[in-house]
Amino acid sequence: MQGLMQDWPLLVGKVFDHANTAHGEQEIVTRTVEGPIHRYTYRDAYVRSKKVAQALLKLGVKEGDRIGTLAWNTYRHLESWYGITGVGAVYHTLNPRLFAEQLVYIITHAEDKFIFVDLTFVPILEGIQDQLGCVEGYVILTDEASMPATSLKNAICYEGLISDHDGDFEWAAVDEKAACGLCYTSGTTGNPKGVLYSHRSNVLHTLAANGADAMGMRAADSVLPVVPMFHANAWTIAFSAPAAGSKLVMPGANMDGESIYELLENEQVTFSAAVPTVWLMLLSYLEDNDKTLSSLRRVAIGGSACPQMMIEKFQKNYGVDVVHAWGMTEMSPIGTLCTFKPGMEKWPAEQQIQQKLKQGRAIFTVEMKITDDDGKELPHDGKAFGHLLVRGPAIVNGYFKGEGGDPLDTDSWFDTGDVATIDELGYMQITDRSKDVIKSGGEWISSIDLENVAVGHPDVAEAAVIGVAHPKWDERPLLIVVKREGSEVTKDEILSYMTDKIAKWWMPDDVVFVDEIPHTATGKIQKMALREQFSSYELPTASQAAE
Ligand code: AMP
């Protein structure tokens, strides 16, 4: 017997319909790429996104076509996503930090028909357009007055393009399982793989992400997504903030501490989300300039592990609650968030911090388990660690065009490539990427844990730990450190700081100082590059073991 309820396809256009009718007066504020602050409402954004849809149809865009966007978080980028999906086409986010060859690869693999591009990134596309045969034209996200002189073929001014239309348009009635967004993984080996979100997966993920124990955005919130729309589906915020009716504050091109601080204060931001490096810049700015935060209540931190000192500083110095989050492009992207269960608010402060260091519990729609090398499920005791597997309706089923292999096992579990523990209460903690974990004498050492401790030292700006070959133990940890400017900190000082914070046998065998640690396009430490750089490094303990 079938239920007797209405068939209301889960399309992302419904999110913007709701924002328009229920929260039409709510503000969207942008620091524009051109410079000034721009303000308007969801109602304005809604009409303009429909104009984008009309313009795309006139350009000949059809259902299923891929439209690239190479842009910062701005109101025009937001309108573009809804306009593109509104004609049944697919937004394809391009990460400007990728190398030119990688951009060429993903644009041609995706067969992008048009690319919407910010002024900042026009030179990138000018340099590669000869290799982008599939692209029919470039829409420059600016007005006529700011149009640059460009060699881009068929360059169209965004404001000019949409000004010809009236916004009287019905979203295309596509199947809810139709493709909606495309984002390539930023894997360090092999070609990037295309993750193709559907309307349904995006809407379900929006609802899950907005749970009160997840990101829990409300109409009363002012939300600043520092997480870029060009990476990992912007942690759903382009959908979940409009779904909740929250004020949206779009930071544009400036992510430095001062610019973010200005927006946080001027727009009375209550919730924000970003990777740890962005928060490091903000915290340094606050400390150096003796600033306080008057409205910020909660920040979600993920993308890489959130260090303990960051949780403590936000909480103790600024009264901001840190919600540690974990996910990946293949998961739309949120998997877990660390919010407390009943009783935890009464735990001693130190125990609370240790819990907050965990990446958290699965949101509804995410199932997870840990297994050993033979696929046997491991206990949820907070100690056993193994391969982290996930499944759910907003988790990848296969990669675009089938290139990237079959990512699922026979029971539809997706191996995240992360190694983790899960405790009795369901809180997951990432130990490492499976290829980064250090295998010492048959036991595993977590490089993430060691890095977290090392960055707690006041003279350490950044730290990375890799396994280096050792004659007796197979591998031992090498700590690579970037010192804070002007610091003369020594190896022994850092190791003695770490002594009572980690198990003795986890202690790095050596410390090397470098000027810079290499990062991927999404801001993660490039462990593979470090392993290559230090492939012939001889640990002092190696010669002792050989004697
Ligand atoms: P991406 O698809 O680029 O977002 O990368 C996903 C990967 O980032 C995950 O598989 C993890 O290895 C890592 N990651 C994301 N969030 C965290 C976190 N909170 N702590 C540690 N690693 C994380």
Side-chain angles (χ1 to χ4, degrees), residues 14-278:
K14 290 283 191 197
V15 171
F16 233 27
D17 288 344
H18 175 73
N20 176 50
T21 50
H23 304 283
E25 76 296 339
Q26 181 62 283
E27 261 191 315
I28 301 176
V29 181
T30 300
R31 187 193 295 285
T32 61
V33 176
E34 295 86 351
I37 297 287
H38 173 274
R39 292 172 192 278
Y40 71 167
T41 63
Y42 275 122
R43 194 165 294 129
D44 301 324
Y46 185 69
V47 174
R48 282 167 53 92
S49 65
K50 294 219 156 177
K51 292 185 181 185
V52 175
Q54 290 173 308
L56 286 171
L57 286 186
K58 199 163 166 209
L59 286 172
V61 171
K62 306 225 160 32
E63 192 180 322
D65 282 346
R66 275 77 64 202
I67 308 295
T69 65
L70 183 59
W72 301 108
N73 291 7
T74 69
Y75 69 102
R76 291 191 181 114
H77 196 179
L78 185 79
E79 292 165 0
S80 304
W81 273 28
Y82 283 100
I84 292 165
T85 55
V87 297
V90 179
Y91 62 87
H92 169 206
T93 50
L94 301 167
N95 185 338
R97 299 190 187 116
L98 291 174
F99 293 120
E101 313 85 79
Q102 291 170 309
L103 278 174
V104 170
Y105 175 82
I106 67 172
I107 292 168
T108 50
H109 189 265
E111 299 172 74
D112 290 341
K113 199 163 181 175
F114 286 90
I115 298 181
F116 284 52
V117 55
D118 262 337
L119 288 171
T120 331
F121 306 128
V122 167
I124 299 181
L125 292 180
E126 285 174 339
I128 57 174
Q129 66 169 332
D130 289 350
Q131 299 166 72
L132 307 179
C134 53
V135 180
E136 292 176 16
Y138 299 87
V139 177
I140 302 183
L141 291 159
T142 193
D143 54 19
E144 300 282 4
S146 306
M147 268 300 273
T150 173
S151 65
L152 282 178
K153 73 168 186 201
N154 198 9
I156 307 163
C157 170
Y158 179 83
E159 291 297 336
L161 179 73
I162 68 170
S163 67
D164 291 343
H165 300 279
D166 59 8
D168 184 10
F169 178 78
E170 289 287 319
W171 301 132
V174 295
D175 180 353
E176 65 174 19
K177 289 192 180 159
C180 174
L182 176 63
C183 183
Y184 281 72
T185 60
S186 50
T188 41
T189 49
N191 281 326
K193 294 171 274 188
V195 180
L196 193 58
Y197 309 116
S198 64
H199 280 264
R200 177 185 149 85
S201 69
N202 268 341
V203 172
L204 286 176
H205 199 57
T206 297
L207 298 174
N210 251 351
D213 258 354
M215 291 206 288
M217 278 174 269
R218 299 166 313 152
D221 276 315
S222 170
V223 175
L224 173 67
V226 188
V227 286
M229 291 168 74
F230 59 70
H231 178 222
N233 217 14
W235 300 11
T236 78
I237 296 177
F239 304 121
S240 45
S246 311
K247 172 176 171 180
L248 254 181
V249 183
M250 304 295 250
N254 301 354
M255 308 294 167
D256 60 286
E258 183 174 6
S259 305
I260 295 296
Y261 174 75
E262 250 178 45
L263 286 180
L264 289 175
E265 285 303 297
N266 293 351
E267 304 307 327
Q268 288 292 287
V269 170
T270 54
F271 173 69
S272 182
V275 296
T277 37
V278 168

Side-chain angles (χ1 to χ4, degrees), residues 457 459 483 487-495 511 513:
H457 190 290
D459 287 321
K483 292 181 196 174
S487 156
E488 295 296 330
V489 70
T490 63
K491 162 183 164 178
D492 289 342
E493 283 164 351
I494 293 178
L495 291 181
V511 181
F513 295 101

Side-chain angles (χ1 to χ4, degrees), residues 186 231 302-305 324-329 359 416 418 433 522 524:
S186 50
H231 178 222
S304 29
H324 198 179
W326 165 85
M328 56 196 310
T329 306
Q359 278 72 6
T416 62
D418 288 324
R433 288 296 291 168
T522 55
K524 298 188 209 311

